[in-house]
């Protein structure tokens, strides 16, 4: 069964809207765990627009399930990850003006910087994953660089207008999963996944983990984090291929 990593960044987004101390993303992580989350994911951005260094530290001390830190391959934040030692680091692209992570990391273009970061993180025992688009050359480069896993960018599927476009995006993901697994990589998925669109993706054989944030945090406003996570977990389990 694919694991569910719950991204709690947007709980911190609400807190930072007032630069106060509530709602606390650490509380959200506790509630997500109680709702059945297999992992907690956070993104320590260079501009600290939502998650702060204090959050990362307290999450490391309190989260009992897999802790996945998303980060750009910069010296500053890689240094923080080396001290923090989350279970997993997912390398993502970062642009200051973007609303959220737009597109995958171009590991081909940034190969030397990414390789350095991967080696430093691997050395201290952290699982390292590359958030990439479902494109053959990105997958092959990720395997050569030494990533343990890839997280396939699912936003093209999530944003598809109509069945034909969604079908093409799903085909791209299917091919990418196949290539990734053949190259010895674990395959994760994330970005833009919601209660409405998770079904066909969860039904694909080969995904080991999904990282989902905005949709779960949005629902948690109305039903609470514990229930929102329970509902997403139930949907993933209901659609997952029987032998996974
Ligand atoms: N995976 C990665 C690598 C991300 O950067 C994000 C967004 O922070 C997510 C998953 C979660 O995306 P969403 O908030 O759209 O569920």
């Amino acid at each position: 069964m694919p694991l569910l990593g719950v991204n709690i960044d947007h709980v911190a987004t609400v807190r930072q809207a007032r630069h106060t101390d509530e709602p606390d993303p650490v509380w959200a992580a506790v509630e997500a765990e109680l709702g059945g989350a297999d992992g907690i994911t956070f993104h320590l951005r260079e501009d600290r627009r939502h998650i702060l260094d204090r959050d990362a530290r307290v999450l490391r001390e309190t989260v009992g399930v897999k802790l996945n830190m998303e980060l750009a391959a910069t010296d500053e934040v890689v240094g923080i990850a080396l001290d923090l030692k989350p279970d997993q680091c997912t390398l993502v692209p970062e642009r200051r003006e973007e609303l959220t992570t737009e597109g995958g990391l171009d590991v081909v273009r940034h190969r030397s910087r990414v390789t350095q970061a991967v080696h430093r993180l691997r050395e201290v025992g952290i699982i390292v994953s590359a958030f990439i688009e479902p494109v053959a050359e990105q997958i092959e480069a990720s395997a050569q660089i030494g990533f343990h896993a890839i997280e396939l960018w699912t936003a093209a599927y999530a944003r598809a207008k109509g069945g034909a476009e969604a079908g093409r995006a799903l085909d791209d993901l299917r091919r990418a999963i196949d290539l990734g697994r053949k190259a010895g990589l674990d395959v994760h998925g994330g970005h833009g996944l919601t209660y409405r669109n998770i079904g066909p993706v969860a039904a694909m054989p080969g995904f080991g983990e999904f990282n989902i944030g905005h949709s779960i945090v949005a629902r948690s406003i109305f039903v609470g984090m514990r229930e929102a996570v329970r509902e997403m977990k139930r949907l993933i389990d209901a659609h997952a291929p029987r032998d996974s």
Side-chain angles (χ1 to χ4, degrees), residues 160-177:
K161 306 238 181 314
E165 203 180 322
R168 281 194 295 277
L170 288 170
D171 286 343
D172 288 345
L173 288 171
R174 215 170 277 119
R175 274 191 292 271
I177 292 170

Side-chain angles (χ1 to χ4, degrees), residues 7 9-10 41 43 45 50 68 70 90-92 100-101 131 151 189-194 211-216:
N7 181 316
D9 292 349
H10 294 308
T41 294
H43 184 175
R45 294 185 71 104
H50 40 49
N68 175 34
E70 295 176 1
T90 302
L91 296 187
V92 301
T100 176
T101 314
F131 182 52
E151 180 174 326
H191 215 274
L193 297 176
T194 69
N211 285 296
I212 307 180
H214 186 267
S215 188
I216 292 177

